[in-house]
């Protein structure tokens, strides 16, 4: 009698897909909300200028939005723990998109600033909430790759929206653009169904500004804030500094800045892993300072295009390098603090820079004000070089 032995069946676990349905819907939401933000980033200052509010109003509009975001970012983790992802992200989409429709009725500075404050709150909710949700909807061992994909999806609306918004003001007008910006954000509500309602992670309470001495976090935080000051200024005031009949030139410059920044961010991360981010930070700041300084020659088309391109490269590289430095210098228990500090530097520098620049340009003119902006970035080179000598 012959006995037939059957070999046991070996089940090879399938590799989880990165682009799941939930992750895909989240990326759709992120793309639309980011496009809503960037379509109006340079357009609202133009709208205020057309209504007679001038450079000060333009600076206040960007500053109000970004400083509102800074304040609300600190509240989002608690909101997520209390109400869940679907409700909080839905609230963010509404706050970012719906107020754009108010601009159809008025160009009054107080009302426009109120719109910017509300949209800033929506932006903060979406930035913090989306990143937190990635941990819920992607495989743990592919989370780094997921954040890379997320970074590309966030970067594309900047490359598209900044120049497109300025261009469309001359094609479809302000009113149609405000409706488009609202629709881009509100469309994300359709993608929230099926998202996790609650986080599986325990709520963490991080003292963002506590215990910074000796951590090595202060230098990259300061350096990144200096660069974001210039970033907020360039997208807010470049359309105002150039003659109205040259808005296509501004659109080209903003496009180049928006395209080179994410590309430089990726390359800086790739090479920074090999040689250390500290070695690349000072050269990135030099490029950013030279690019910002080129705008002193605001009457030159070549200076505007080349300057915006160089600044985009330096700004994008600095985003990656400063964040990498901060994570390299702390234990895992302080990763939440790093994220909060970096985002505060981003939004705070962007907003404060726009407000201060608007006040300065009224008394000095654009060339001198852009020169002072470049000086702020240049000063940040010194601590970056000193830090390289002390520690990597």
């Amino acid at each position: 009698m012959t006995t037939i032995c059957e070999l046991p069946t070996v089940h090879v676990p399938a590799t989880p897909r990165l682009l799941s349905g939930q992750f895909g819907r989240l990326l759709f939401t992120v793309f639309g909300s980011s496009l809503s933000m960037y379509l109006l980033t340079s357009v609202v200052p133009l709208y205020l200028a057309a209504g007679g509010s001038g450079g000060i109003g333009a600076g206040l509009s960007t500053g109000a939005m970004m400083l509102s975001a800074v304040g609300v970012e600190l509240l989002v983790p608690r909101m997520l723990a209390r109400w869940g992802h679907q409700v909080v992200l839905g609230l963010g989409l509404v706050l970012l998109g719906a107020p754009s429709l108010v601009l159809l009725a008025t160009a009054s500075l107080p009302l426009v600033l109120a719109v910017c404050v509300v949209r800033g709150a929506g932006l903060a909710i979406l930035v913090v909430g989306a990143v937190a949700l990635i941990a819920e909807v992607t495989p743990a061992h592919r989370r780094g790759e997921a954040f890379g994909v997320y970074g590309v999806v966030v970067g594309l609306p900047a490359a598209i929206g900044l120049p497109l918004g300025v261009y469309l003001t001359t094609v479809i007008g302000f009113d149609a653009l405000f409706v488009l910006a609202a629709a881009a954000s509100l469309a994300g509500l359709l993608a929230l169904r099926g998202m996790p309602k609650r986080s599986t992670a325990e709520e963490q309470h991080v003292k963002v500004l506590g215990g910074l001495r000796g951590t090595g976090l202060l230098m990259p935080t300061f350096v990144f804030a200096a660069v974001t000051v210039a970033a907020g200024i360039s997208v807010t005031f470049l359309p105002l500094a150039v003659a109205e009949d040259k808005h296509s030139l501004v659109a080209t410059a903003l496009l180049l800045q928006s395209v080179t920044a994410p590309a430089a961010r990726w390359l800086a991360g790739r090479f920074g892993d090999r040689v250390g981010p500290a070695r690349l930070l000072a050269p990135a700041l030099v490029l950013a300072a030279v690019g910002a300084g080129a705008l002193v020659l605001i009457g030159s088309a070549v200076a505007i295009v080349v300057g915006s391109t160089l600044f985009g490269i330096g700004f994008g590289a600095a985003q990656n390098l400063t964040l990498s430095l901060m994570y390299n210098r702390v234990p895992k228990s302080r990763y939440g603090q790093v994220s909060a500090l970096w985002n505060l530097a981003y939004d705070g520098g962007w907003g404060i820079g726009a407000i201060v620049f608007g006040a300065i340009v009224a008394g000095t003119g654009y060339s001198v004000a852009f020169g002072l902006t470049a000086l702020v970035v240049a000063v940040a080179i010194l601590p970056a070089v000193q830090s390289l000598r002390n520690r990597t």
Side-chain angles (χ1 to χ4, degrees), residues 107-208:
S108 168
L109 179 59
L111 290 178
V112 173
L113 292 180
V115 167
C116 292
V117 168
V118 176
R119 295 188 79 231
L123 174 66
I125 291 172
L126 291 165
V127 169
V128 177
V131 172
L133 188 53
I134 289 177
E136 300 291 330
V137 300
T138 58
H141 66 286
R142 302 186 70 181
R143 198 162 292 154
E145 185 180 357
F147 279 118
V149 174
Y150 170 81
V152 172
V153 173
V154 170
L156 282 176
I160 298 170
L162 283 175
L164 183 62
V166 175
Y167 172 73
L168 287 179
T169 58
T170 62
V171 178
I172 63 175
F174 287 111
D175 288 354
L177 189 58
F178 295 149
V179 173
L180 178 61
S185 181
L186 295 175
L189 294 171
L190 302 175
L192 292 182
R193 186 177 181 181
M195 292 292 185
K197 294 183 178 180
R198 297 285 176 181
S199 173
T200 59
E202 295 183 2
E203 183 180 357
Q204 296 182 356
H205 300 281
V206 179
K207 294 181 179 179
V208 176

Side-chain angles (χ1 to χ4, degrees), residues 260-343:
T260 53
R265 186 174 181 176
W266 175 73
L267 288 173
R270 185 180 180 120
F271 288 104
D273 287 341
R274 299 178 183 178
V275 303
R279 294 181 179 274
L280 301 179
L281 184 55
L285 295 174
V286 169
L287 287 175
V290 171
L295 297 182
V296 171
L297 305 174
I298 196 63
S300 168
V302 174
I304 292 173
V305 170
V306 173
S308 296
T309 302
L310 291 177
F311 180 78
I313 295 171
F315 176 52
Q319 288 183 53
N320 186 293
L321 298 171
T322 52
L323 188 59
S324 296
L325 270 175
M326 294 170 76
Y327 274 117
N328 290 346
R329 291 178 173 182
V330 298
K332 289 184 177 180
S333 61
R334 304 190 76 159
Y335 278 6
Q337 182 183 31
V338 165
S339 178
L341 278 174
W342 192 85
N343 278 290

Side-chain angles (χ1 to χ4, degrees), residues 35 60 183:
L35 183 61
L60 288 174

Side-chain angles (χ1 to χ4, degrees), residues 213-227:
R213 181 173 296 180
T215 61
L217 297 178
L218 289 176
M219 183 281 293
T221 300
F222 164 75
V223 164
F224 187 53
V227 182

